[in-house]
Amino acid sequence: MKKLLVQHLRPGMVVARTVYSLSGTPLLKAGIILNQAYIDHLHQKGVPALYIKDEQDDFEVELEAEAEDVVSEETRLKGLVTVKEVMGSIKQVMEGRRARFHGVNEVKVQSLANEIVDQILSHRDLAVNLSDIRGKDEYNYAHSIQVGILSIMTGMTLGYDQNRLRDLGIGAILHDIGKVRVAESIVNKQVPLTPQEYEIMKRHPEYGFDIIRQQTDFSILSAHVAFQHHERFNGNGYPRGIKAEEIHEYGRIVAVVDAYDALTCDRPFRTAYLPHEAVEMLMGAGNFMFDFKVVRAFVDNIALYPVGTLVELSDGFRGMVIAASRKNNARPKVRLFWDPLGARLTPPTDIDLLDKPNLVITKVYNSSQEVPQAARS
């Protein structure tokens, strides 16, 4: 299984993971053979990428086990719907069509946060192996759920108990709720914001704090996540320009996660960075833009080379990552398909980089690249 940008899909490829709409209905089910009409439909829906089965792309291999996700697809979809409902209800409050104290379904948000916490605690050894496939219509909702998941995982690494994980999770899931008070033309703009638009967008942390703190069942610390997730460790963030320990640790966690998820998501104006590239950026900004302790805790949960990633090793052999864990996320198991001269290995050879200290990954092929033709013979 590998992820390809929609523009690189070809008729005859087989869908590996079901693609869902925001309502939870499948756009394309796993196992469907792509034709041009399906590909055109994905373009129309603004779906940026797709997971496809390897055997239809000249790899002819069944992985021993597909990458297991830390949170189920069902819970992710439930989260998308919940965030959409919450933002919709806030808009109704703003328009005077609903009483303010009913602005957020607190029970549903708490239940979602608890469900995510429970699933993550039951998958302590798993790293985040798969990236979300997000259409333009659900980008903001999916971003909120992914930030919630990754923030809770980071809090777990930092030793948080379940109550703290829940409060952190609620704040992380709702960290961008203040965007409901920003014009949709700005929030959903498909090109970079102008300086004037950016100044308007910078108000959303304050709006979010105001919304969450009015919900009686939410901790004030959850509200501070929304308020502080754009503050920076060096004091150059917004809205207050506070720095270092002045920023609550929840806010420092979500600042890191929010940046990572934005970097690794395909956007209309740029292709997603690969996980190891985004991690390198975050590590380089540690104790400057971000708390380095938090960055390290976050990185422990990320598969730098997710299952399905095509890689080249320092000895010239090429292959695909078939397993990755939290124990050593920089040294996955790799199934080798081609030797340094491009000749096909029959049968393929599996190696564990943990057992090969002299080998390192020197090149990663992303979803916009093809393995060189010499290596596909």
Side-chain angles (χ1 to χ4, degrees):
M1 177 176 72
K2 72 170 184 173
K3 181 182 174 186
L4 282 181
L5 295 177
V6 168
Q7 58 262 40
H8 294 293
L9 297 176
R10 302 191 302 272
M13 291 179 173
V14 178
V15 178
R17 295 185 76 207
T18 299
V19 181
Y20 294 91
S21 69
L22 185 54
S23 64
T25 58
L27 290 175
L28 281 179
K29 291 185 177 181
I32 285 179
I33 300 174
L34 290 176
N35 57 33
Q36 193 57 50
Y38 287 143
I39 295 172
D40 292 343
H41 183 59
L42 293 172
H43 273 295
Q44 293 168 5
K45 289 294 185 179
V47 176
L50 199 68
Y51 283 102
I52 63 166
K53 289 190 176 180
D54 311 307
E55 60 267 30
Q56 295 298 319
D57 197 38
D58 197 30
F59 297 113
E60 301 171 357
V61 60
E62 289 286 348
L63 296 185
E64 295 169 359
E66 292 288 5
E68 187 179 0
D69 206 349
V70 290
V71 172
S72 71
E73 190 73 38
E74 179 184 5
T75 299
R76 285 180 180 273
L77 287 171
K78 184 190 298 184
L80 286 178
V81 174
T82 298
V83 174
K84 183 183 180 184
E85 288 178 355
V86 166
M87 291 191 170
S89 67
I90 294 297
K91 288 182 180 179
Q92 290 180 344
V93 169
M94 292 167 54
E95 295 166 359
R97 294 186 287 123
R98 175 175 291 199
R100 177 169 291 277
F101 59 85
H102 291 306
V104 173
N105 189 326
E106 296 169 72
V107 173
K108 187 172 286 190
V109 174
Q110 288 176 326
S111 174
L112 173 63
N114 285 329
E115 188 171 331
I116 292 173
V117 168
D118 288 343
Q119 290 186 26
I120 289 173
L121 290 175
S122 67
H123 294 90
R124 288 178 178 268
D125 291 334
L126 286 182
V128 175
N129 257 298
L130 301 174
S131 59
D132 282 343
I133 302 297
R134 308 175 192 177
K136 61 185 179 183
D137 294 334
E138 66 263 21
Y139 171 80
N140 290 313
Y141 310 123
H143 172 70
S144 295
I145 299 306
Q146 186 73 345
V147 168
I149 292 169
L150 293 173
S151 295
I152 291 169
M153 294 182 75
T154 305
M156 181 185 72
T157 302
L158 291 170
Y160 287 12
D161 61 25
Q162 285 190 262
N163 289 333
R164 295 180 74 193
L165 290 176
R166 183 196 61 221
D167 288 344
L168 169 63
I170 289 171
I173 291 167
L174 300 179
H175 76 284
D176 270 345
I177 197 171
K179 288 183 178 179
V180 299
R181 293 186 181 174
V182 179
E184 289 187 11
S185 60
I186 294 177
V187 173
N188 298 323
K189 192 172 182 180
Q190 300 298 296
V191 296
L193 300 178
T194 66
Q196 294 78 14
E197 291 168 336
Y198 183 55
E199 288 302 314
I200 295 172
M201 180 66 87
K202 285 168 65 175
R203 298 294 305 278
H204 80 270
E206 298 173 79
Y207 297 149
F209 174 75
D210 184 55
I211 292 169
I212 297 173
R213 71 184 178 90
Q214 294 184 57
Q215 314 309 312
T216 55
D217 289 341
F218 291 160
S219 164
I220 191 65
L221 295 179
S222 297
H224 275 286
V225 171
F227 201 14
Q228 298 181 352
H229 70 281
H230 281 294
E231 300 289 359
R232 293 295 178 257
F233 205 66
N234 61 0
N236 286 341
Y238 63 87
R240 292 184 294 165
I242 57 178
K243 63 183 179 180
E245 304 299 326
E246 295 172 345
I247 309 167
H248 191 277
E249 190 167 78
Y250 292 0
R252 284 179 267 148
I253 289 171
V254 177
V256 171
V257 175
D258 179 58
Y260 174 84
D261 190 65
L263 287 169
T264 55
C265 185
D266 293 303
R267 302 308 309 274
F269 44 85
R270 64 156 174 80
T271 301
Y273 289 97
L274 295 169
H276 72 282
E277 293 172 329
V279 165
E280 185 176 344
M281 293 179 191
L282 293 178
M283 294 291 282
N287 278 352
F288 177 62
M289 292 180 66
F290 306 110
D291 182 345
F292 192 60
K293 177 189 72 174
V294 170
V295 173
R296 285 186 298 179
F298 166 74
V299 170
D300 281 348
N301 297 290
I302 300 297
L304 300 185
Y305 307 101
V307 170
T309 302
L310 298 174
V311 297
E312 181 173 325
L313 304 182
S314 52
D315 61 0
F317 281 80
R318 300 180 181 93
M320 178 187 296
V321 174
I322 60 171
S325 72
R326 295 178 69 247
K327 294 180 180 178
N328 196 321
N329 54 9
R331 303 193 67 78
K333 293 181 181 179
V334 179
R335 181 161 294 164
L336 301 176
F337 292 104
W338 305 282
D339 71 15
L341 298 179
R344 191 67 177 262
L345 300 178
T346 307
T349 300
D350 291 356
I351 65 169
D352 189 338
L353 291 182
L354 277 176
D355 301 328
K356 303 287 185 179
N358 58 317
L359 290 179
V360 295
I361 293 172
T362 56
K363 185 175 178 61
V364 177
Y365 299 93
N366 64 30
S367 57
S368 65
Q369 293 175 309
E370 294 288 342
V371 178
Q373 194 64 34
R376 296 173 63 91
S377 58

